[in-house]
């Protein structure tokens, strides 16, 4: 394991060096280093899957920390969202709310400190108020209190939260499965290097699942409310996790979410305004939507795909309801289906489904964790003047989704839990239960 860990760490260290250089890392260098850091993970997984030898949990965690420290040393690349995180923290601390006012309003405001003027100048979509939920905003505020305008603080906080997710997963799956997440290149890149706050909602969601297995329904409802306050994605799983909870627990979930939003709504705005613009207008790296939108108008395509997803979700909910004990929803399938029909698939969105691919490993999910990084092949990162900034060359999506479909076909042909993980992804002696869709 140490040889594999050192190999991965070397790849991330080189990536950190590239991230520190002027400009962005070259795409070819990036993908070579991702392959270098990713191959040992899957090789090691299969080794421990087929060998009856003790799994070195301590060293797995140690190397996971080392990889994230490499990300901390490197800093963000291929991304500029972190400028919005820093700005939101500043606005929250100084105005009492990060919502309601677009950053462009402050372009000529002499009252903005110099450090935040530099941040303000690099925010994308400055004409829109922030799109991040209230739970996430509390995280940005905490980062501001530690040290204003410093992305290193946010990276450090996200790393701690992500390691907490690893700890929660160890209560749901065998350690060798958890390694797939703890050492995953996508996770290291999007959380440790780039500080994407998806990890906040993911950690809260996994905490809710652990608590639900132990029938701590009040704490489950509270965590689910906070997770939904971090990102609306959590709403896809919250009802499934609460299927066997009492009405009072559903009410606690709703009250928690309402309590998060109420102060901001009363103060003049929430993230819902910009979320509506996002849902109405944006498209990037879409799969099924990208194909259907060729034939139908945007609204029609979304309606058709939304109906298909709703049928799939209800089918899964009915199957879960039939079981007499709390089961873990197949979040990999729910989030995977949702992303399939979504007009936007950013690489960090897969952080929501990967923990569930630890509980029930699948070839398609872990293939997707690598293939989705092809989304970074854009006109901006290619420095191609013939392409718009976020436009992709014609070959990117066929390759990206072709790899995922091929892996999915492999899983379906095998007709059993992929990668031959433990039955239902249960660690020995665990009461974890999962259902197939």
């Amino acid at each position: 394991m140490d040889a594999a860990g050192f190999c991965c760490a070397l790849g991330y260290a080189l990536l950190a060096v590239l991230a520190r250089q002027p400009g962005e890392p070259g795409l070819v260098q990036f993908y070579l280093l991702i392959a270098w850091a990713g191959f040992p993970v899957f090789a090691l997984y299969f080794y421990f899957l087929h060998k009856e030898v003790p799994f070195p949990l301590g060293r797995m965690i140690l190397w996971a920390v080392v990889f994230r420290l490499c990300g901390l040393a490197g800093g963000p690349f291929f991304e500029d969202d972190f400028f919005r995180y820093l700005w939101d923290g500043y606005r929250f601390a100084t105005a009492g709310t990060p919502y309601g006012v677009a950053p462009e309003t402050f372009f000529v405001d002499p009252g903005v400190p110099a450090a935040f003027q530099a941040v303000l100048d690099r925010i994308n979509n400055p004409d829109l108020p922030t799109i991040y939920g209230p739970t996430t905003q509390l995280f940005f505020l905490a980062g501001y209190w530690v040290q204003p305008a410093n992305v290193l603080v946010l990276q450090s906080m996200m790393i701690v939260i992500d390691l907490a997710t690893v700890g929660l997963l160890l209560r749901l799956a065998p350690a060798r499965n958890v390694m797939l997440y703890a050492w995953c290149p996508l996770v290291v890149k999007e959380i440790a290097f780039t500080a994407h706050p998806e990890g906040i909602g993911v950690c809260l969601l996994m905490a809710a699942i652990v608590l639900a297995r132990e029938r701590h329904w009040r704490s489950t409802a509270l965590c689910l409310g906070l997770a939904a306050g971090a990102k609306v994605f959590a709403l896809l799983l919250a009802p499934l996790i609460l299927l066997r909870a009492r009405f009072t627990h559903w009410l606690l979930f709703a009250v928690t979410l309402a309590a998060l939003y109420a102060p901001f709504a009363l103060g003049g705005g929430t993230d819902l305004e910009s979320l509506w613009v996002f849902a109405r207008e944006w498209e990037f790296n879409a799969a099924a939507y990208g194909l259907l939108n060729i034939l139908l108008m945007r609204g029609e395509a979304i309606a058709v795909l939304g109906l298909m997803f709703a049928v799939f979700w209800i089918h899964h909910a009915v199957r879960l309801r039939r079981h007499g004990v709390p089961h873990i929803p197949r979040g990999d399938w729910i989030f995977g289906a949702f992303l399939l029909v979504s007009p936007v698939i950013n690489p960090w969105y897969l952080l929501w489904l990967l923990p569930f691919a630890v509980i029930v490993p699948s070839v398609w999910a872990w293939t997707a964790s690598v293939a989705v990084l092809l989304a970074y092949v854009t006109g901006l990162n290619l420095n191609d003047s013939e392409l718009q900034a976020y436009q992709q060359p014609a070959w990117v999506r066929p390759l990206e989704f072709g790899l995922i479909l091929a892996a999915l076909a492999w899983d379906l042909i095998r007709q059993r839990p992929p990668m031959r993980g433990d039955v239902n992804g249960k660690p020995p002696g665990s009461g974890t239960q999962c259902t197939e869709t």
Side-chain angles (χ1 to χ4, degrees):
M1 172 170 278
D2 287 334
F6 179 80
C7 181
C8 296
L10 180 60
Y12 291 126
L14 291 173
L15 193 56
V17 171
L18 291 176
R20 284 293 181 183
Q21 303 302 310
E24 302 284 17
L27 286 171
V28 173
Q29 297 167 309
F30 170 67
Y31 291 121
L32 286 175
L33 290 173
I34 287 296
W36 177 273
F39 177 77
V41 181
F42 299 110
L44 202 59
Y45 172 81
F46 280 108
Y47 172 80
F48 283 105
L49 184 64
H50 296 292
K51 297 288 185 180
E52 294 296 329
V53 294
F55 186 86
L57 175 61
R59 281 184 288 164
M60 183 269 282
I61 295 175
L62 173 64
W63 284 111
V65 173
V66 170
F67 304 157
R68 284 156 177 78
L69 292 178
C70 291
L72 187 65
F77 62 93
F78 295 161
E79 294 292 338
D80 56 9
D81 288 348
F82 67 92
F83 291 111
R84 176 76 75 161
Y85 313 157
L86 298 173
W87 177 255
D88 283 0
Y90 163 72
R91 288 289 299 156
F92 198 167
T94 57
T97 177
Y99 299 115
V101 183
E104 66 177 9
T105 306
F106 299 90
F107 281 167
V108 294
D109 186 344
V112 176
F116 281 99
Q117 191 64 59
V119 167
L120 182 60
D121 290 342
R122 301 185 67 179
I123 293 176
N124 62 39
N125 299 295
D127 56 315
L128 293 175
T130 185
I131 201 171
Y132 298 102
T135 302
T136 307
Q137 295 295 346
L138 293 171
F139 169 82
F140 298 156
L141 177 63
Y144 175 89
W145 282 341
V146 173
Q147 187 172 358
N150 190 343
V151 70
L152 191 69
V153 172
L154 298 183
Q155 287 177 266
S156 302
M157 294 168 63
M158 278 308 313
I159 286 171
V160 172
I161 292 171
D162 189 44
L163 291 173
T165 300
V166 172
L168 290 166
L169 287 173
L170 287 169
R171 301 181 63 176
L172 299 170
R176 67 166 179 266
N177 291 14
V178 177
M179 180 188 65
L180 290 171
Y181 178 91
W183 288 25
C184 177
L186 176 67
V187 175
V188 175
K189 191 275 174 193
E190 299 301 347
I191 290 183
F193 277 89
T194 315
H196 269 294
E198 307 290 318
I200 301 168
V202 171
C203 184
L204 288 165
L205 186 62
M206 301 317 297
I209 288 173
V210 169
L211 291 164
R213 287 178 62 235
E214 299 171 357
R215 298 181 183 272
H216 299 313
W217 290 113
R218 291 181 181 176
S219 299
T220 298
L222 181 63
C223 284
L224 288 173
L226 291 169
K231 191 156 191 170
V232 293
F233 279 22
L235 293 176
L236 299 176
L237 263 286
L240 301 179
I241 296 170
L242 291 173
L243 270 178
R244 296 195 171 276
R246 297 177 180 176
F247 173 76
T248 54
H249 303 130
W250 285 77
L251 184 60
L252 177 59
F253 163 69
V255 168
T256 301
L257 188 57
L260 286 169
Y261 271 96
F264 301 111
L266 295 174
T270 68
D271 58 320
L272 300 181
E273 176 186 350
S274 293
L275 278 174
W276 174 244
V277 175
F278 179 88
R280 188 178 67 241
E281 299 179 3
W282 292 6
E283 191 272 343
F284 174 71
N285 195 42
Y289 170 83
L291 293 174
L292 195 58
N293 193 217
I294 298 173
L295 304 174
L296 302 176
M297 300 293 290
R298 181 182 178 92
E300 296 169 338
I302 290 176
V304 170
L305 293 171
L307 179 61
M308 294 173 62
F309 175 76
V311 170
F312 176 82
W313 190 94
I314 292 170
H315 168 73
H316 187 58
V318 170
R319 294 200 60 175
L320 279 176
R321 185 66 183 174
R322 289 174 183 169
H323 293 276
V325 294
H327 279 58
I328 298 176
R330 283 300 301 267
D332 52 339
W333 287 107
I334 296 295
F335 288 124
F338 177 73
L339 293 178
L340 176 65
V341 303
S342 175
V344 176
I345 305 178
N346 287 312
W348 53 91
Y349 290 179
L350 268 75
L351 295 174
W352 287 89
L353 69 83
L354 291 182
F356 297 94
V358 166
I359 299 168
V360 184
S362 61
V363 174
W364 79 265
W366 294 106
T367 299
S369 75
V370 177
V372 75
L373 291 170
L374 288 169
Y376 286 115
V377 182
T378 62
L380 180 64
N381 293 326
L382 288 170
N383 292 317
D384 189 338
S385 60
E386 295 184 1
L387 296 173
Q388 296 180 12
Y390 295 103
Q391 185 180 357
Q392 299 168 304
W395 58 268
V396 170
R397 294 191 206 186
L399 177 58
E400 176 185 350
F401 298 117
L403 289 171
I404 297 171
L405 286 174
L408 178 60
W410 175 258
D411 283 341
L412 294 175
I413 289 171
R414 296 179 69 180
Q415 290 295 312
R416 60 176 183 264
M419 289 192 178
R420 291 178 56 201
D422 292 326
V423 176
N424 288 334
K426 291 192 293 184
S430 168
T432 303
Q433 302 184 60
C434 301
T435 57
E436 300 291 340
T437 31

